Amino acid sequence: MPARALTASVCFACLALPAASADAATRLTIRGAGFGHGVGMSQWGAYGFATHGWDHARILGHYYTGTSLGQAAQRPVRVLLQGSVGRAGFSGARRAGGRRLNPARTYGVRASGSSVLLLSASGRRLARTRAPLRVRGSGTRLRLAGTALNGVSGGAYRGALEFRPSGGYGVQAVNALSLDNYVRGVIARESPASWPLEALKAQAVAARTYAITTSKGGNGFDQYPETRSQVYGGVSAETRATNRAADETTGEVVTYKGRPVVTYFFSTSGGRTEDVEKSVLGLGGEALPWLRSVDDPYDGASPKHRWGPYRWSLGRADARLGSLVKGAFRGIQVRKRGSSPRIVSADVVGTGGRTRVSGPTLRARLGLFDTWVYFTTIRTTASAARAGSSAAAAGAAPEARA
């Protein structure tokens, strides 16, 4: 069932606590919904729509308000695989540094000032070249030695590998490949390959659009292979189903008024997505017309659709919140919620005063799945326990439940 926004009310919790006694224990109860930043396409929601017969175009149009599908020209994507290693290695290559190579052999790369050295497996210098050293293979046989930032060890990659000096004496490895081949390596790392084809196609288009509308602006690369951009696993991440999703959406991107736009996506909405300017992605910034809060009626299959309750001691919450607490922790007062019930701002209340924080800051300090969260402080008394009652509400009324 879709959740309703609580934009008109301010909910209070954890205030006016009575003094603790040997017969009483005060607990902070935390309940929530969703998993992620809450903006754009909910992946579990897309799964739900697909199981209800929606095609990928309709799914994307629902999550990205006022958009349509367009076509983007193929362009290279450069993904950072290793940041700064003393020596990189590769195999499966036919040419590098102006030399013919044996694809069955492993070669090394080391930085030398602003140049790059191509080495034999034994370390003998084969060539010295200006950066980057570009290495090409045949098909999907090109492999990078060692573990990449995506966690893949000895992974195979399409396209080319590029090596540049990095961090003084180190060398970085970048995978340069076509847009659609990049998408092949993303889909199954972001959505389970067992999901319906239309959900995978929605993921393919969202990933492709995100790649061409964002850039980390690094030296020689524009995407990370993990959550700082989107998760990319190279050939090891490809499956028959996800490659079909990539092939059947070749070149497709999400456009608003004819231009590709940033397509944020995340795991679980809890029943409603959030406006970008009320989220960690753009808190207090510009309202973007295609990233609006929408109902997400089929998100319920996610294990994070609803979570909790978690019951913490006030001391545990105090330790997590750290410097945000003035004096001793007494509770959290929500000041503003977004178009979904996600927290935009709240006060951390202590015996020495209040600290205003954003919902994303609160989520990060407490280690929560989402900012769609409710707090209730409950004081258990010895007399209540003897009477068979589990708890008595402390001070102010508890917040409404998720």
Side-chain angles (χ1 to χ4, degrees):
M1 178 179 293
R4 301 300 176 193
L6 303 179
T7 56
S9 63
V10 176
C11 296
F12 299 90
C14 316
L15 301 180
L17 300 184
S21 73
D23 296 329
T26 304
R27 294 288 183 266
L28 178 67
T29 299
I30 304 172
R31 299 175 186 266
F35 184 20
H37 52 65
V39 178
M41 184 178 74
S42 157
Q43 291 158 313
W44 274 100
Y47 165 84
F49 277 123
T51 62
H52 282 76
W54 287 37
D55 66 18
H56 74 286
R58 190 180 177 193
I59 293 170
L60 293 164
H62 174 76
Y63 288 112
Y64 305 113
T65 305
T67 64
S68 59
L69 295 184
Q71 283 285 320
Q74 288 298 308
R75 63 184 72 182
V77 178
R78 286 180 163 80
V79 188
L80 180 67
L81 295 180
Q82 292 176 340
S84 183
V85 295
R87 173 172 165 166
F90 63 89
S91 61
R94 295 189 178 279
R95 293 194 65 84
R99 293 180 61 101
R100 289 184 178 276
L101 303 181
N102 183 343
R105 293 182 179 175
T106 297
Y107 297 88
V109 180
R110 185 166 57 82
S112 177
S114 60
S115 301
V116 178
L117 301 181
L118 174 65
L119 310 172
S120 69
S122 63
R124 180 170 58 89
R125 192 170 89 175
L126 302 178
R128 182 187 188 102
T129 183
R130 296 173 57 186
L133 172 67
R134 186 174 175 86
V135 178
R136 295 199 64 88
S138 175
T140 61
R141 297 177 61 187
L142 195 59
R143 291 187 175 272
L144 178 67
T147 302
L149 294 172
N150 55 16
V152 178
S153 181
Y157 298 94
R158 296 178 182 272
L161 293 174
E162 295 179 347
F163 298 94
R164 292 176 174 81
S166 175
Y169 298 98
V171 62
Q172 73 173 24
V174 171
N175 185 200
L177 73 170
S178 71
L179 177 60
D180 278 338
N181 279 337
Y182 168 71
V183 169
R184 286 171 177 258
V186 170
I187 304 170
R189 290 299 175 92
E190 290 288 357
S191 295
S194 60
W195 279 8
L197 179 61
E198 292 304 318
L200 298 178
K201 288 165 74 171
Q203 181 67 70
V205 177
R208 186 180 294 111
T209 312
Y210 187 85
I212 68 170
T213 56
T214 64
S215 174
K216 299 304 176 181
N219 177 29
F221 70 94
D222 45 49
Q223 300 289 328
Y224 289 100
E226 19 80 346
T227 54
R228 284 178 288 180
S229 295
Q230 50 191 346
V231 185
Y232 166 72
V235 175
S236 67
E238 298 180 15
T239 71
R240 180 177 297 180
T242 56
N243 281 354
R244 179 182 174 188
D247 292 343
E248 291 188 9
T249 62
T250 298
E252 284 187 4
V253 292
V254 176
T255 65
Y256 183 80
K257 295 185 177 179
R259 297 177 63 87
V261 289
V262 178
T263 46
Y264 294 121
F265 53 86
F266 64 104
S267 172
T268 306
S269 76
R272 189 172 184 87
T273 69
E274 188 53 83
D275 299 325
V276 66
E277 73 276 12
K278 299 169 187 172
S279 78
V280 67
L281 299 178
L283 196 61
E286 180 184 2
L288 301 176
W290 67 93
L291 294 175
R292 313 315 303 150
S293 175
V294 297
D295 280 331
D296 201 13
Y298 303 126
D299 178 77
S302 170
K304 296 295 191 297
H305 180 71
R306 293 287 183 272
W307 42 267
Y310 305 128
R311 295 178 177 87
W312 291 8
S313 69
L314 296 194
R316 179 181 179 184
D318 194 321
R320 289 287 189 94
L321 292 167
S323 61
L324 298 177
V325 182
K326 295 178 180 177
F329 176 71
R330 282 294 176 262
I332 296 169
Q333 180 178 352
V334 176
R335 306 302 303 182
K336 182 179 179 182
R337 292 186 182 271
S339 298
S340 72
R342 289 173 174 83
I343 296 174
V344 175
S345 63
D347 287 344
V348 175
V349 182
T351 55
R354 299 165 176 261
T355 304
R356 181 66 52 87
V357 296
S358 70
T361 296
L362 202 58
R363 175 195 175 193
R365 288 293 186 100
L366 296 177
L368 305 176
F369 297 116
D370 204 312
T371 54
W372 183 331
V373 59
Y374 297 89
F375 304 96
T376 306
T377 300
I378 296 177
R379 183 171 179 263
T380 303
T381 65
S383 59
R386 285 192 296 270
S389 173
S390 62
E399 293 191 282
R401 289 291 183 263

